[in-house]
Amino acid sequence: MLKQELEFRGISRKHLGMYFEELGGKQITNQFPYIYKSDDDWYGEIVGEEELSITSTFKVNRVYIRFYASDDMALKELIKNYRVKTRRIGG
């Protein structure tokens, strides 16, 4: 299995888990690492969450996620689709 780890900021762990479910993953564990498996030969792990201080008053969460897939093309496709779910566009 190929693996890649990414960091997401400012998005809750629950939402990040929900995005795995929207892509076809099923939640396997209920604690860190939260594991989501799909029938399509991929799985993801929400490895950890911590608070990051940008300034003394501005703090955001930081969540680490690992993506696993059977081949490079599947891994790239999974990450591309996941990033679409996490995209934030102001208006």
Side-chain angles (χ1 to χ4, degrees):
M1 278 264 164
L2 297 173
K3 169 179 84 169
Q4 185 168 347
E5 185 169 319
L6 296 177
E7 173 186 315
F8 291 88
R9 295 180 181 182
I11 305 172
S12 75
R13 182 205 51 81
K14 289 183 180 184
H15 281 132
L16 292 168
M18 187 173 62
Y19 301 149
F20 276 123
E21 292 173 354
E22 290 174 1
L23 293 173
K26 292 180 176 55
Q27 187 172 348
I28 305 299
T29 61
N30 290 317
Q31 61 187 16
F32 286 111
Y34 292 90
I35 298 172
Y36 295 83
K37 282 194 154 197
S38 103
D39 296 333
D40 297 331
D41 241 6
W42 65 260
Y43 70 97
E45 297 176 338
I46 300 176
V47 181
E49 179 177 30
E50 58 190 37
E51 189 174 83
L52 175 67
S53 295
I54 306 297
T55 67
S56 61
T57 57
F58 182 59
K59 299 175 184 181
V60 297
N61 72 320
R62 173 170 40 190
V63 181
Y64 298 96
I65 297 183
R66 286 190 198 124
F67 300 88
Y68 297 86
S70 57
D71 61 61
D72 190 53
M73 187 63 108
L75 183 61
K76 286 179 181 175
E77 185 71 15
L78 170 61
I79 292 171
K80 181 187 86 164
N81 291 337
Y82 195 85
R83 284 182 183 262
V84 168
K85 299 284 185 188
T86 62
R87 189 172 297 144
R88 302 290 186 258
I89 300 174

